[in-house]
Amino acid sequence: MKAKTQIVISSAMFRRRNLAVRAAIALLALATAVIPALADDTLGAASNDPKAIRPFHINVPQEQLDDLRQRLAATRWPDKETVIDESQGIRLEEMQALVHYWATDYDWRKCEANLNALPEFVTTIDGVDIQFIWVRSKNPNALPMILTHGWPGSPLEFLKVIGPLTDPVAYGGRAQDAFDVVIPAIPGYGFSGKPVDLGWNPDRVARAWDVLMKRLAYTRYVSQGGDHGSVISDALARLAPPGLLGIHLTMPATIPANLVKGINSGDPAPTGLTAPEQRAYNALSTFFGKNAAYGAMMVTRPQTIGYALTDSPSGLAAFTYEKIAEWTDSDGHPERVISRDEILDDITLYWLTDTGASSSRFYWENNNNNFSAAAQKTDQIKVPVAITVFPHEIYRAPESWSRQAYPSLYYFHEVAKGGHFAAWEQPKLFSEEMRAAFKPLRGAQVTALNQ
């Protein structure tokens, strides 16, 4: 039985960690990010008040890491694929190399130290602990932004953009481009709690995100997301809580209703589509026809796939690494844009938190076409919407479809490189897009602050 990850919370430790955080963040090029100034009544008796913002610290027991290495060493491998490409999945030689490195050279403690060097917190919302990173800019007029990950990603996707977003001047931006960033783990992912009741779908997570931002004393904020994060941001925009200024998406839901059936059935693209529309149609048809089996499994049988993901770290690695390889802008070699250690940080996070099954259940709870404008009810969204298209996303959303799907779309931009994990792959480009996309909304933020 796996030892539980320890969460150490004490006021003395938190004071000591504040000093360590400041030093470590400087080493991580986050020197301008500051520890959030929590009100005494918010932090107060943190361990006794579920609504309090409680400090969070990661300390994985060594026996859990030893158990992981032993399991990796005992991997039972399948026979070699019978093709010379990736058409049957990740090739044996590639997986063996990844697992060997994971078992012998990879060091989780480096990731753990990097995370513990950041301001980490946890609060309870709707009965579930929400763990999050919260880094504030030194700019008092910084725009608060909540960043939401997807699968097989995690909050780790956003670590490299914390500096550029909170301290834009140090990264080629302007002081007035600064953001405060809040990076939560979706319930059932990472160090957030695992829901034990039904109904934790994108709408419920969106409501929790609004509670979180209001609990952090933000009266105005924006939301950004890709993958699940896009779906949750859509839900938040439909909810339109007071204070939500706008959303930014990297995986928008733009398929017109009349094309959904043909795409799902693998029918040829109809006549009359523009070149970008035909490209998007073909990409989605290929995705649903050849590459979506992982999602079908999690949507229909999350518990069944959960046994494999929970018992076999090599199985977990293959299941997730395949999508990282396929969806990055890397010609199938993700280490070209994300280091091997960073990829294993993400996979190891899933393993150590035992979230193979619980993260899969989010698909079951969602059980929707995340690319369909009708399914995501995008026509109900009234708050401002911004979209950035990264060329190796699952599909490139055409501007024509995007404007039809999102009546309140005010920003649309296609960039030259990057894939599904935009912030992870291209942190500089992603940060520049956040500055440009949300610049028109900062006036509302300043107005609110001056009222």
Side-chain angles (χ1 to χ4, degrees), residues 56-377:
F56 184 90
H57 185 79
I58 304 165
N59 182 19
V60 174
Q62 184 59 41
E63 57 265 29
Q64 198 169 344
L65 300 176
D66 293 341
D67 172 73
L68 170 59
R69 290 194 175 92
Q70 291 169 6
R71 288 171 180 263
L72 291 170
T75 298
R76 182 184 182 190
W77 295 104
D79 56 314
K80 190 177 184 298
E81 63 279 353
T82 56
V83 293
I84 59 173
D85 55 23
E86 305 284 348
S87 59
Q88 293 182 352
I90 295 294
R91 287 178 283 185
L92 178 63
E93 182 180 7
E94 190 172 358
M95 276 309 303
Q96 287 179 327
L98 179 69
V99 168
H100 175 76
Y101 180 85
W102 194 9
T104 58
D105 296 323
Y106 170 76
D107 184 2
W108 162 258
R109 295 299 184 194
K110 292 181 181 179
C111 179
E112 184 176 271
N114 288 341
L115 289 172
N116 284 335
L118 294 167
E120 300 173 286
F121 301 92
V122 65
T123 190
T124 305
I125 300 174
D126 199 6
V128 174
D129 281 349
I130 305 298
Q131 188 269 340
F132 60 99
I133 298 166
W134 182 23
V135 183
R136 295 181 69 182
S137 172
K138 289 194 299 186
N139 185 335
N141 293 323
L143 178 62
M145 174 165 58
I146 187 166
L147 296 153
T148 310
H149 65 90
W151 181 94
S154 68
L156 297 176
E157 293 179 51
F158 298 109
L159 296 189
K160 290 183 287 189
V161 301
I162 294 176
L165 293 175
T166 59
D167 181 22
V169 173
Y171 295 84
R174 307 172 305 163
Q176 55 265 42
D177 293 327
F179 294 89
D180 287 358
V181 296
V182 179
I183 310 173
I186 298 170
Y189 285 75
F191 292 106
S192 282
K194 300 173 185 176
V196 295
D197 61 333
L198 297 178
W200 275 97
N201 54 27
D203 285 31
R204 189 169 177 182
V205 175
R207 289 192 293 270
W209 276 194
D210 184 61
V211 171
L212 174 61
M213 296 302 280
K214 301 293 174 55
R215 195 170 287 180
L216 297 179
Y218 290 127
T219 58
R220 298 289 189 276
Y221 68 96
V222 295
S223 175
Q224 195 287 325
D227 195 90
H228 289 328
S230 286
V231 180
I232 291 167
S233 293
D234 273 345
L236 187 59
R238 289 195 305 272
L239 180 65
L244 177 66
L245 300 178
I247 65 171
H248 178 276
L249 311 170
T250 56
M251 197 191 80
T254 70
I255 305 177
N258 64 311
L259 298 179
V260 171
K261 182 178 179 181
I263 287 172
N264 289 342
S265 302
D267 297 340
T271 59
L273 298 182
T274 66
E277 292 169 351
Q278 184 168 351
R279 180 181 61 199
Y281 184 101
N282 292 337
L284 286 163
S285 182
T286 298
F287 170 76
F288 283 111
K290 295 184 178 180
N291 300 322
Y294 76 97
M297 189 69 187
M298 291 192 284
V299 162
T300 59
R301 293 295 185 270
Q303 192 68 17
T304 300
I305 190 62
Y307 296 116
L309 301 179
T310 297
D311 187 63
S312 171
S314 296
L316 172 68
F319 196 66
T320 56
Y321 180 82
E322 178 191 66
K323 295 309 168 193
I324 296 173
E326 184 180 339
W327 293 343
T328 49
D329 189 6
S330 63
D331 293 324
H333 303 282
E335 291 85 349
R336 293 177 179 174
V337 292
I338 308 170
S339 74
R340 175 159 285 193
D341 279 353
E342 288 173 324
I343 293 170
L344 286 172
D345 287 343
D346 184 65
I347 297 172
T348 306
L349 177 63
Y350 276 84
W351 176 261
L352 295 176
T353 55
D354 191 14
T355 48
S358 58
S359 61
S360 297
R361 288 190 204 108
F362 189 78
Y363 279 80
W364 187 88
E365 289 282 5
N366 183 14
N367 192 20
N368 214 337
N369 186 329
N370 294 334
F371 305 101
S372 165
Q376 295 304 323
K377 304 175 184 177

Side-chain angles (χ1 to χ4, degrees), residues 2 14 36 48 137 151 211 226 238 267 286 317 400 409 415 422 449:
K2 283 191 240 177
F14 187 47
N48 298 322
S137 172
W151 181 94
V211 171
R238 289 195 305 272
D267 297 340
T286 298
S400 57
L409 182 70
V415 295
L449 290 172

